[in-house]
Amino acid sequence: AQSVTQPDIHITVSEGASLELRCNYSYGATPYLFWYVQSPGQGLQLLLKYFSGDTLVQGIKGFEAEFKRSQSSFNLRKPSVHWSDAAEYFCAVGDTGGFKTIFGAGTRLFVKA
Amino acid sequence: NAGVTQTPKFQVLKTGQSMTLQCAQDMNHNSMYWYRQDPGMGLRLIYYSASEGTTDKGEVPNGYNVSRLNKREFSLRLESAAPSQTSVYFCASSRGLEGYTFGSGTRLTVV
């Protein structure tokens, strides 16, 4: 069965610093991987997705993620964090049908001035 | 473009009461989903509808029923609410493997 682990419950970074959020997945076949962001009181918004091909994928809002099959990881990165990036971030893995996407527990990002 | 619209946004129920959460999308997506979000547990799939006329159970279907009324609408019903169903409920829709578009959620409290 597929599963997703986000090891960090919360992370605090300074504005302008770089960011890396960790995600590890378990899936028997080639995974379909996603990162979503949730601002307080809002629904989730898709940041980026990986299906195949180039292992470094670009998303919205300056985010990128790298798929590493050997480490079963799909970490999210941003070179310079803005205060508006403070939110909760969810990694997700989808099955080949696309109907049973499993979400991690989330990582809450705090940005300090 | 409204995207995915959920109603109501907030609801308080007494134990044993019933209610229906409504969801509608205007993106012509084939698939629709209901998730619940609880602190520290991420989102868990309750039911999904791969296409109009079909519905299937997800990870936590007990206590819930769904109806795919047409391509646009997918409702979630709680027949006899329990305190364990206190949660934030999200509806989402998708086309193929493009990723999900989520509604803004319904915050449900069962007392």
Side-chain angles (χ1 to χ4, degrees), chain B residues 38-104:
Chain B
D38 301 291
M41 302 188 72
L43 280 77
R44 292 180 292 168
L45 181 64
I46 305 171
Y47 272 93
Y48 68 97
S49 172
S51 60
E52 186 178 356
T54 69
T55 60
D56 283 287
K57 295 178 180 179
E59 182 184 357
V60 289
N62 291 345
Y64 305 95
N65 285 299
V66 291
S67 296
R68 183 74 183 266
L69 304 170
N70 48 56
K71 191 170 186 178
R72 291 186 64 250
E73 299 173 287
F74 188 39
S75 63
L76 178 71
R77 183 161 179 83
L78 287 70
E79 292 291 352
S80 179
S84 61
Q85 294 178 304
T86 293
S87 187
V88 181
Y89 291 85
F90 287 100
C91 178
S93 68
S94 72
R95 178 186 295 119
L97 296 171
E98 294 180 352
Y100 295 175
T101 300
F102 283 87
S104 58

Side-chain angles (χ1 to χ4, degrees), chain A residues 9 32 34 36 38 41-46 49 51 88 90 94-106, chain B residues 31 33 35 37 40-43 45 48-50 57-59 90 94 96-105 107:
Chain A
I9 296 174
Y32 297 86
F34 307 85
Y36 289 84
Q38 183 182 32
Q42 300 297 315
L44 282 70
Q45 180 185 19
L46 179 67
K49 61 193 175 192
F51 293 160
E88 190 154 22
F90 292 91
D95 65 353
T96 53
F99 304 127
K100 290 188 176 182
T101 296
I102 301 297
F103 288 79
Chain B
S31 306
Y33 313 83
Y35 281 87
Q37 183 178 30
M41 302 188 72
L43 280 77
L45 181 64
Y48 68 97
S49 172
K57 295 178 180 179
E59 182 184 357
F90 287 100
S94 72
L97 296 171
E98 294 180 352
Y100 295 175
T101 300
F102 283 87
S104 58
R107 186 173 296 274

Side-chain angles (χ1 to χ4, degrees), chain A residues 18 73 76 83 111:
Chain A
S18 63
S73 68
L76 182 71
W83 63 267
V111 179

Side-chain angles (χ1 to χ4, degrees), chain B residues 6-12 19-23 34 89 104-108:
Chain B
Q6 291 183 237
T7 56
K9 294 189 181 303
F10 301 93
Q11 184 71 48
V12 179
M19 79 161 296
T20 299
L21 281 64
Q22 307 286 352
C23 175
W34 277 105
Y89 291 85
S104 58
T106 295
R107 186 173 296 274
L108 175 67

